[in-house]
Amino acid sequence: MRVAVLGPGAIGSLFGGRLARSGVDVTLVGRPGDHVTALDRDGLRLTLPDGTTERVAVDVTTDPAGVGPVDVVLVCVKAYDTRSALADATSLLADAAVCTFQNGLGNPETIAEFVPESRVLAGTTSHGATLESPGHVRHAGVGDTAVGNYFTDTSETATALARALTDAGIDTDVVADAPRAVWEKVLVNVGINAATALAGVPNGRLADTDPGERVLRRAVEEAAAVAAADGVELTTDPVAAASRVARRTAENHSSMRQDLDRGRKTEIDALNGEIVSRGREHGIDTPVNETLTDLVRLAES
């Protein structure tokens, strides 16, 4: 299997680095910047959950046209960059399956504007990763990972990708209902990301403090009501699932917190903001998510 990772941020670098370490032919495709420069010059410095650090040689480029044919493209860019990133990387998409490993709702639908629905995969993960400095990623917490076809029945490519990730140390299940898996991941992110970003705390504080637990629970309960109105049948208690992820990644700084700390745009519109929008369509009040969304937007400004 030949893989391209579009967007080598924290998760993209973690997955790409682990795949490369296991012998998969993988290329990280990113925009020019200090992180890509460091990866190209020194390889990926990866700090593992046990505190040990290893150096992984990775193939990295800023030119998608120079990569050549691939079997799978892992999309790890921010949700608001999905369309522009794919438009810039059409040379990678000719025969490839395209798998989103992104936060939020709507990414598979955007990918389907570029490739047939039969080649659209969706992946979810609760592994925690933090970009500590250019070229250095900390694997901050281990969690569940799943992949599946988003619009069609499970393909051989989805099964092969899950096997490759598992062999690389990212235990991955194949799921038949990828839309539900995406929603379940969104419910986790809705409970964790905005609250930790605004409070400036690691994920674990939402599970081991009363205020954190209340904010997480109320945000997730609102979002679960919207998911039900959207026709999603959840298989797990979404509040318990979000709390479990917060504990597993207790020392991790959520991606949204990292974005606010670095003065970057966040994915709030694809997460809590999308819950608010869909809640309005269904006549469901979402005051906690609306407040979290407004506060993150205010912090961004």
Side-chain angles (χ1 to χ4, degrees), residues 1-61:
M1 174 179 287
R2 191 153 191 263
V3 178
V5 178
L6 194 60
I11 283 292
S13 293
L14 172 63
F15 278 32
R18 295 304 295 255
L19 286 168
R21 184 175 177 272
S22 71
V24 173
D25 184 354
V26 56
T27 301
L28 307 183
V29 183
R31 291 176 177 168
D34 292 344
H35 181 56
V36 167
T37 298
L39 291 174
D40 187 41
R41 182 185 63 233
D42 304 319
L44 173 65
R45 182 186 174 197
L46 183 60
T47 298
L48 303 176
D50 64 5
T52 61
T53 298
E54 60 184 28
R55 185 78 65 174
V56 182
V58 292
D59 182 29
V60 61
T61 184

Side-chain angles (χ1 to χ4, degrees), residues 91-138:
S91 59
L92 296 174
L93 309 179
D95 298 307
V98 183
C99 181
T100 168
F101 266 106
Q102 300 165 277
N103 291 329
L105 298 167
N107 295 301
E109 290 81 0
T110 300
I111 292 170
E113 298 174 15
F114 294 86
V115 300
E117 289 185 351
S118 60
R119 289 198 265 132
V120 178
L121 310 182
T124 64
T125 187
S126 54
H127 280 262
T130 300
L131 184 60
E132 296 285 1
S133 60
H136 180 201
V137 169
R138 178 167 58 89

